[in-house]
Amino acid sequence: MKTARPPRALLTAVVAIPAKEAAAMAASLNALAQATSMLTSAYKHFHWTVAGPHFVSLHALYDTHAGTLAAHVDDLAERIVQLGAVPMILPADVAAASPLKAPDAGVADWTSQLAFLESAHVALVRHLTEAISDATDPGVADLLTRIVQDHQKMAWMIRASLHGT
Ligand SMILES: [Fe+2]
């Protein structure tokens, strides 16, 4: 037997905030999810193409970070649905709208990979910090606060790999 979908207003009410605020936060979360998806793809590309004296450690580190980011995409998408909106994280959406652009095609040397990743994490920490202060829902603020801590930790690991500090 087919079950009717609950009306959109009921989905929004789960988060107990006005629909206009929910829509604004969903748009912000979609931009973050697109950037996170782009960064996940970049990490996997680097995981496959890294070469050089630090191959073993970077190959493993990149995959660990890609896994963390893939979990972020899932958490962000599920929160977007709870806000009554639609996740816009299909590859075409990410390519068209992600605030974080893709790395150059082809194979980059390992220092260029790390420099790209360092600046991506810094940009995402800034974006997340703004989104946390704009959040009018405690669940969204908590989710983003947990995500920004992961980015700060990943940024430290990438920076230490690149600069030794
Ligand atoms: Fe692999």
Side-chain angles (χ1 to χ4, degrees), residues 44 47-48 59 63:
K44 291 302 290 194
H47 166 74
W48 297 317
H59 180 70
D63 217 25

